[in-house]
Amino acid sequence: MPVLVIAEHDNQALKPATLNTITAALAIDAEVAVLVAGYGCGGVSQSAAVIAGVDRVLLCDHESYLHPLAENLADLIAAIAGGYTHVLAPASTFGKNVLPRLGALLDVSPISDIVAVQSPDTFVRPIYAGNAMATVKTSDQKILVTARPTAFAAASAEGGAAAVEAVEPAAEPGDRVRFVGQELTRSERPELTSARVVIAGGRGLGSSENFKLIEELADKLGAAVGASRAAVDAGYVPNDYQVGQTGKVVAPELYIAVGISGAIQHLAGMKDSKVIVAINKDEDAPIFQVADYGLVGDLFDALPKLSAALD
Amino acid sequence: MKILVPVKRVIDYNVKVRVRQDGSGVETVNVKMSMNPFDEIAVEEAIRLQEAGRAEEIVAISIGAPQCQETIRTALAMGADRGILVETEQDLEPLGVSKVLRECVDRESPDLVIMGKQAIDDDCNQTAQILAGLLDWPQGAFASTLKFSDGRVDVTREIDGGLETLSLLLPAVISADLRLNEPRYVKLPNIMKAKKKPLDTIPIEELGIDVAPRVSTIKVEEPPARSGGIMVASVEELVDKLKNDAKVI
Ligand SMILES: Cc1cc2nc3c(=O)[nH]c(=O)nc-3n(C[C@H](O)[C@H](O)[C@H](O)COP(=O)(O)OP(=O)(O)OC[C@H]3O[C@@H](n4cnc5c(N)ncnc54)[C@H](O)[C@@H]3O)c2cc1C
């Protein structure tokens, strides 16, 4: 039996995390199907069909799925899960919201945030903010997994030729859950979790005004902007900038941490970056322990110099 | 409104956890334990609803060893009215915890369950969503604001792209994210008062629920260490290293 991957998308385009999840699925089984549930999402199903390694695309195009509500999606996936050994979703706020609910419906104990597949029933996942790695084996007959996107390479978005078949929507859920609205952060910069370069600011920035120094540098490097929890809590930047144990996990080629002390909860979200740069005025800041290049100094002095050096 | 708040006893978030030599788990002997920080946020939210006249009773519930009474007492000292400990020495996974909580919901009939979005020990981020699924209730996961009116709650959720607001029909399950509120510090007189608040203990066997684990831990290891870095003396040196050694810019 094949493995089912739940596509994350906004009815217009697939989210890149879907491609990483497909790679995780291919590590489990060679036969992979992708479910695209949404409304007016035919184009998304076409993109899913050409992803290398995908055998089959299931398209459920119905207004109940206009917004990715966990209640509706879990019911739908439960109705079709019978034909699959595993159901995978990205370990994003989307996947983390839906998959456990599906676990309840199927009486399965889900496995969160895997970073490696050892065998079809054995996985590696971080615990304690990544301070330990657990190898876990499940005895469930059906296996539900969320995969950490940064731990799996993206499947090639081209090269496949899967057939798209329509699936029936599950019963309509009525009025229990109503979508009210969304406030999405708009940015011309690359998406934080898939950017090649991330530059992140912490409490040391002192204000949202000062975050412009970070943004200026980000634009020169084509980087995404991230932040520590302290910077988000202080209102310098929106919540979705938060990198860490309970925010986003990133693993770019270059991560520049500015005015961030390096609490374990922050390190949990960035310590798998390839090259880490830390700029901090406190030479004892724990961030220097994970940095490849550390610069002790005042960020208000260093950032303008760094921007100038990149001109 | 009656609110149920599940609370978990975990290694304190300030503790640097150490992996046991034999790979069986992390060191827990002589380690400071506290309430899971996200659960504190959940308790705080329930208390604020009570203070605003929206909730009549708050029941704090924990599942685990007898020491979890301390965690419940913390919730009572913060302002919860009563506690329930479902006692077991076994480590339950989120599915098992959710089944126990469902039973407690059946017995207590709350209008709302508020709990932390994630426990900082196993980092699963599952229990609220599983419980909502078992109960067939709406779920508001990763909540940063709650607004109640007419038997519904508007939940603003922290999602990857920003914020999303859903309106849920009560009863519902909510999971608290970091920015829902800032929990209060417990005052000494309240700790004394909390000792007199009722706390019932139920042995887990009495519930007759199958909580046998499905997932077994084969081993626990240290994460791969990063190789040591260097300190640079100036911005010029940093740029040179990034261009010519690391070749990332
Ligand atoms: C349950 C829980 C979950 C959490 N989840 C996360 C998470 O996901 N992500 C996260 O980031 N945190 C998280 N935290 C918070 C974490 O513990 C830290 O409090 C937070 O990361 C600190 O942010 P910071 O480094 O910006 O601030 P601080 O620790 O205050 O550090 C500021 C740093 O800036 C430096 N600095 C100040 N001024 C300057 C200057 N002019 N020039 C240079 N350097 C300067 C200082 O030396 C200091 O090192 C969580 C905490 C809890 C309890």
Side-chain angles (χ1 to χ4, degrees):
Chain A
M1 272 199 297
V3 172
L4 181 65
V5 171
I6 312 304
E8 180 173 353
H9 64 88
D10 58 5
N11 293 315
Q12 307 292 319
L14 275 177
K15 300 277 177 196
T18 309
L19 298 172
N20 309 88
T21 310
I22 287 169
T23 300
L26 287 165
I28 295 170
D29 195 289
E31 216 184 319
V32 171
V34 174
L35 171 68
V36 176
Y39 189 44
C41 57
V44 178
S45 71
Q46 295 303 327
S47 323
V50 296
I51 298 170
V54 173
D55 294 297
R56 204 148 49 111
V57 174
L58 310 179
L59 171 63
C60 188
D61 197 339
H62 188 269
E63 57 179 318
S64 319
Y65 308 109
L66 172 60
H67 303 291
L69 303 178
E71 293 79 358
N72 303 2
L73 285 171
D75 284 352
L76 172 67
I77 304 164
I80 59 177
Y84 302 89
T85 55
H86 297 66
V87 181
L88 272 72
S92 55
T93 53
F94 163 79
K96 290 175 188 171
N97 190 33
V98 174
L99 221 74
R101 189 172 179 107
L102 177 65
L105 306 185
L106 300 175
D107 192 28
V108 169
S109 196
I111 300 177
S112 296
D113 209 14
I114 64 158
V115 297
V117 175
Q118 295 215 322
S119 75
D121 63 3
T122 307
F123 309 93
V124 181
R125 59 180 304 268
I127 54 175
Y128 293 95
N131 283 303
M133 305 301 288
T135 303
V136 298
K137 182 181 166 76
T138 177
S139 61
D140 275 319
Q141 288 312 299
K142 193 162 303 292
I143 297 176
L144 304 186
V145 168
T146 56
R148 177 177 286 201
T150 55
F152 298 91
S156 168
E158 281 162 43
V164 178
E165 34 185 284
V167 295
E168 287 297 307
E172 277 194 56
D175 192 40
R176 294 191 307 164
V177 184
R178 274 187 230 141
F179 177 85
V180 177
Q182 253 178 1
E183 255 175 74
L184 299 185
T185 307
R186 291 200 193 289
S187 166
E188 299 298 310
R189 297 189 191 95
E191 201 266 318
L192 186 53
T193 54
S194 51
R196 196 188 70 83
V197 179
V198 172
I199 163 153
R203 201 197 308 266
L205 266 296
S207 70
S208 58
E209 189 64 18
N210 291 338
F211 242 84
K212 292 213 175 79
L213 294 170
I214 299 272
E215 288 161 2
E216 194 183 317
L217 188 57
D219 291 338
K220 290 200 172 149
L221 289 168
V225 175
S228 69
R229 173 192 177 181
V232 175
D233 283 0
Y236 303 166
V237 288
N239 62 287
D240 53 303
Y241 282 37
Q242 183 180 315
V243 170
Q245 178 186 18
T246 60
K248 288 196 173 116
V249 177
V250 302
E253 275 182 45
L254 174 61
Y255 188 90
I256 307 178
V258 184
I260 292 179
S261 61
I264 50 170
Q265 292 85 6
H266 186 78
L267 302 186
M270 46 66 80
K271 71 181 160 65
D272 292 330
S273 305
K274 204 161 141 252
V275 173
I276 296 174
V277 171
I279 301 175
N280 197 303
K281 67 177 179 189
D282 171 11
E283 62 180 337
D284 295 324
I287 190 74
F288 287 124
Q289 290 163 22
V290 300
D292 298 283
Y293 301 105
L295 177 65
V296 177
D298 191 325
L299 68 91
F300 296 107
D301 176 50
L303 284 181
K305 280 190 187 156
L306 195 50
S307 278
L310 295 169
D311 276 335
Chain B
M1 193 161 68
K2 178 172 175 178
I3 306 178
L4 201 72
V5 189
V7 292
K8 184 176 186 184
R9 183 173 184 266
V10 298
I11 295 181
D12 187 86
Y13 80 98
N14 275 314
V15 171
K16 170 98 182 78
V17 299
R18 289 206 325 274
V19 172
R20 279 195 210 116
Q21 285 298 320
D22 64 1
S24 63
V26 304
E27 200 49 74
T28 51
V29 180
N30 291 326
V31 168
K32 183 178 182 215
M33 306 294 285
S34 301
M35 186 190 296
N36 179 41
F38 287 98
D39 304 350
E40 264 182 70
I41 297 172
V43 174
E44 175 67 34
E45 194 65 15
I47 296 164
R48 290 187 190 186
L49 287 168
Q50 193 173 42
E51 287 168 349
R54 290 212 170 265
E56 288 80 50
E57 192 184 21
I58 302 168
V59 183
I61 171 161
S62 195
I63 303 161
Q67 294 90 316
C68 295
Q69 286 189 8
E70 291 164 23
T71 316
I72 297 173
R73 291 284 174 208
T74 304
L76 297 176
M78 286 175 75
D81 298 299
R82 148 170 103 73
I84 301 174
L85 170 64
V86 177
E87 201 177 303
T88 172
E89 291 291 344
Q90 196 186 328
D91 255 340
L92 302 196
E93 54 205 29
L95 182 66
V97 169
S98 306
K99 287 180 178 178
V100 171
L101 291 176
R102 173 179 55 183
E103 179 63 28
C104 297
V105 166
D106 287 347
R107 293 178 178 205
E108 295 284 338
S109 311
D111 306 281
L112 189 69
V113 179
I114 311 184
M115 55 209 293
K117 79 161 179 183
Q118 165 174 355
I120 60 163
D121 50 4
D122 60 25
D123 282 332
C124 278
N125 192 335
Q126 294 179 354
T127 308
Q129 299 89 309
I130 298 179
L131 177 63
L134 291 175
L135 291 165
D136 196 22
W137 287 6
Q139 70 188 51
F142 329 139
S144 67
T145 324
L146 302 181
K147 278 203 200 100
F148 290 83
S149 64
D150 303 330
R152 300 186 75 96
V153 55
D154 277 5
V155 185
T156 300
R157 310 176 51 231
E158 295 204 6
I159 58 169
D160 287 338
L163 298 169
E164 174 188 86
T165 304
L166 303 177
S167 159
L168 312 180
L169 182 69
L170 297 175
V173 180
I174 304 290
S175 82
D177 212 322
L178 291 172
R179 278 160 286 275
L180 186 57
N181 59 52
E182 215 175 297
R184 67 196 63 195
Y185 285 101
V186 176
K187 297 196 194 87
L188 194 61
N190 292 345
I191 296 177
M192 304 312 289
K193 269 192 238 159
K195 292 190 174 141
K196 300 201 188 80
K197 292 185 179 176
L199 198 172
D200 292 332
T201 297
I202 308 172
I204 199 164
E205 299 74 29
E206 244 175 51
L207 301 178
I209 299 170
D210 174 14
V211 290
R214 312 285 184 80
V215 180
S216 56
T217 299
I218 295 175
K219 64 176 177 208
V220 173
E221 297 164 294
E222 298 271 356
R226 284 190 75 89
S227 50
I230 59 164
M231 299 305 284
V232 292
S234 65
V235 168
E236 294 69 36
E237 189 185 349
L238 175 62
V239 171
D240 175 64
K241 296 281 181 207
L242 293 178
K243 277 193 175 143
N244 302 315
D245 288 358
K247 299 189 169 56
V248 285
I249 60 171

